[in-house]
Amino acid sequence: MSEIIQITDSAQDYLAELLAKQNVEGIAVRIFITQPGTPYAETCLAYCRPGEEEPTDERLDLKKLAVYVDKHSIPFLEEAVVDFNADRMGGQLTIKAPNAKMPKVNADSPLEDRVNYVLYSEINPGLAAHGGEIKLIELTEDQIAVLAFGGGCQGCAAVDLTLKQGVERTLMERIPELSGIRDVTDHTDTTNAYYR
């Protein structure tokens, strides 16, 4: 676990000092990523009072503090570094997580991560030229990816064609476990949903 995220000595000292000021017995730090695997990913570091951690969190016991890491964020925190650089203004805590937006995915990665990876690495770069973008909204129990078409794709007459031919073909080729895709605008009317 400690090889996944590196917390430098200066960052540990700084965080331990902050925790001590909270005057809460057993307080720790929790690290998680919001919207991991997307261009909107944000790496977050928060106080974690006893009982506020998730049952699935991984606990990391460092010399001066305890850190809880959100289980779902772990693949996205690979090679992450938390550092503290002192300066005349006091200093700055930095978190560098190079895989937060684009994790290293493999066949064992969760289906959602693999769908996002294909969307953001292969499909969206091609749509960006037209101001378009596709986001994964949810995966249904029967493995259908519900997608939202945004930007230049929304309301575009070519959406049906693009969705059916390009996006579906690419996703189904890369991720055989998917049983199909559906546009989020169809989520209440499954009669027109795209199934294979």
Side-chain angles (χ1 to χ4, degrees):
M1 182 66 211
S2 55
E3 64 277 357
I4 288 172
I5 184 162
Q6 182 195 345
I7 302 175
T8 64
D9 289 342
S10 59
Q12 287 183 46
D13 290 344
Y14 176 73
L15 290 169
E17 205 176 294
L18 283 180
L19 292 175
K21 290 177 183 168
Q22 300 306 303
N23 287 323
V24 175
E25 184 68 36
I27 192 167
V29 168
R30 186 167 188 267
I31 299 175
F32 57 97
I33 298 178
T34 57
Q35 300 189 57
T38 75
Y40 313 104
E42 293 285 331
T43 307
C44 306
L45 204 133
Y47 292 123
C48 186
R49 289 172 177 77
E52 289 181 342
E53 69 278 1
E54 293 292 325
T56 55
D57 283 355
E58 295 272 345
R59 184 181 162 108
L60 193 56
D61 287 303
L62 304 174
K63 281 183 288 222
K64 298 183 177 180
L65 70 148
V67 177
Y68 288 98
V69 183
D70 170 54
K71 186 178 191 228
H72 185 65
S73 300
I74 290 172
F76 304 92
L77 285 167
E78 207 170 299
E79 299 172 20
V81 178
V82 180
D83 195 14
F84 179 78
N85 294 310
D87 60 28
R88 287 174 307 169
M89 308 299 279
Q92 185 177 4
L93 187 72
T94 58
I95 307 171
K96 291 190 179 86
N99 296 303
K101 291 177 171 38
M102 200 59 83
K104 293 177 176 170
V105 293
N106 58 41
D108 299 330
S109 298
L111 195 56
E112 184 180 340
D113 295 349
R114 289 184 288 143
V115 170
N116 273 324
Y117 183 80
V118 173
L119 286 175
Y120 290 107
S121 65
E122 295 184 43
I123 294 171
N124 280 338
L127 296 175
H130 308 284
E133 170 187 65
I134 300 174
K135 285 186 200 169
L136 175 66
I137 301 301
E138 68 168 321
L139 275 171
T140 65
E141 284 179 19
D142 46 358
Q143 309 297 31
I144 291 173
V146 179
L147 306 174
F149 285 70
C153 291
Q154 215 166 1
C156 168
V159 158
D160 287 353
L161 194 64
T162 307
L163 175 72
K164 191 67 183 157
Q165 295 186 334
V167 177
E168 183 171 34
R169 191 181 66 239
T170 303
L171 281 170
M172 300 295 282
E173 277 173 12
R174 304 284 184 278
I175 307 164
E177 300 98 298
L178 279 179
S179 50
I181 62 171
R182 187 161 75 217
D183 185 343
V184 73
T185 54
D186 293 341
H187 73 286
T188 53
D189 179 12
T190 56
T191 54
N192 295 324
Y194 295 108
Y195 291 97
R196 260 201 123 100

